[in-house]
Amino acid sequence: MAALALEAVMQAIADRLMEAQVVTHAFGYPTTGVDDGEATVGYPPDYTYGLPTGRALDAVVIPAWIIAGLAEEESTREVVADLLGDGPRSLKVALEGDLDGLVNALILRRTLIERVRFKDNLERTSVRADCEVWS
Amino acid sequence: MAKPIVCINPTCTITFGSTVVDISDHLRMVAPSTEVEIIDNRTFASPKQREFGNQTDDITLTLGWSPDLYTALAPYINTAGALVCKPRGAVSTAIRATVRYGAQPWGEIAHGTTSEVELPLIVDGDITYS
């Protein structure tokens, strides 16, 4: 039993998104260098300690943003639908599980569809996956 | 000892003869319970003596109702079936028991909500994990 290995877990989420070909590239840390079709993993807003002995069941919600494309492009709609669906690009299929034994469980209970403005002043649609993770 | 598990995509099936009724898509919660009576047999010579008596095992399933669920359950009322519940769907080990139910489950029906029902199961024998 151990505490959550936050650094490794954030990187594992990014790696999983690439392995499952959900995105072409994913950063395991928050960055503004992300582009269309890529992802960036953010820090959890808080950290909940679990059982008092052995640090089992520490819990966090780690957000991952997937940049689907330009907000007003029709093709972006298809990407968003694929991410939310249950096909090969499904976020839920790609992420849920135990990250090859790194965590007790990762469950994706909800995603948020957001508009973000990039440095080029154009708005993108991003899909934010809130990954609930237990150690 | 390994740490407590977090359930992921739990599954539940009940097999009646050669027919498998898979209720995983309807599953909200599986609640197994075991009660053991404590018998008070104190005497003057043994003033603190107590023993365990009869054991009663039950499982209550909480399910989202649908006409398909009704149809699937209808032929097997009061029929013994083999329940297999995997707390983590991708793992082969499961909670197992021989169970029966006495009636169709019914729940509240309201606009814009899922009708959630509880199906109490009598357990014949023990609840095991294997």
Side-chain angles (χ1 to χ4, degrees), chain A residues 26-74:
Chain A
F27 299 87
Y29 53 92
T31 175
T32 55
V34 66
D35 208 345
D36 293 349
E38 297 183 347
T40 180
V41 179
Y43 294 112
D46 55 32
Y47 190 106
T48 304
Y49 297 104
L51 301 180
T53 305
R55 297 288 298 274
L57 298 179
D58 284 4
V60 292
V61 178
I62 298 175
W65 285 271
I66 295 88
I67 308 302
L70 288 166
E72 295 180 6
E73 285 284 335
E74 189 177 359

Side-chain angles (χ1 to χ4, degrees), chain B residues 30-84:
Chain B
V30 180
S33 70
T34 298
E35 278 187 28
V36 182
E37 287 177 12
I38 296 177
I39 298 170
D40 186 345
N41 56 358
R42 285 180 279 197
T43 64
F44 285 112
S46 305
K48 290 191 172 182
Q49 187 169 323
R50 292 187 296 173
E51 293 294 339
F52 292 115
N54 291 325
Q55 178 177 330
T56 306
D57 296 323
D58 295 299
I59 298 175
T60 301
L61 304 179
T62 305
L63 305 164
W65 187 85
S66 76
D68 284 349
L69 180 70
Y70 178 88
T71 305
L73 295 178
Y76 304 110
I77 290 171
N78 205 22
T79 303
L83 178 135
V84 176

Side-chain angles (χ1 to χ4, degrees), chain A residues 10-11 13-18 21-42 63-69 83 89 91 95 118 125-129:
Chain A
M10 289 172 67
Q11 189 57 49
I13 291 171
D15 292 345
R16 182 56 58 90
L17 289 171
M18 287 188 284
Q21 298 183 332
V22 173
V23 294
T24 53
H25 187 74
F27 299 87
Y29 53 92
T31 175
T32 55
V34 66
D35 208 345
D36 293 349
E38 297 183 347
T40 180
V41 179
W65 285 271
I66 295 88
I67 308 302
L83 293 170
R89 238 184 138 176
L91 279 172
L95 291 173
F118 269 35
T125 296
S126 87
V127 175
R128 189 181 102 191

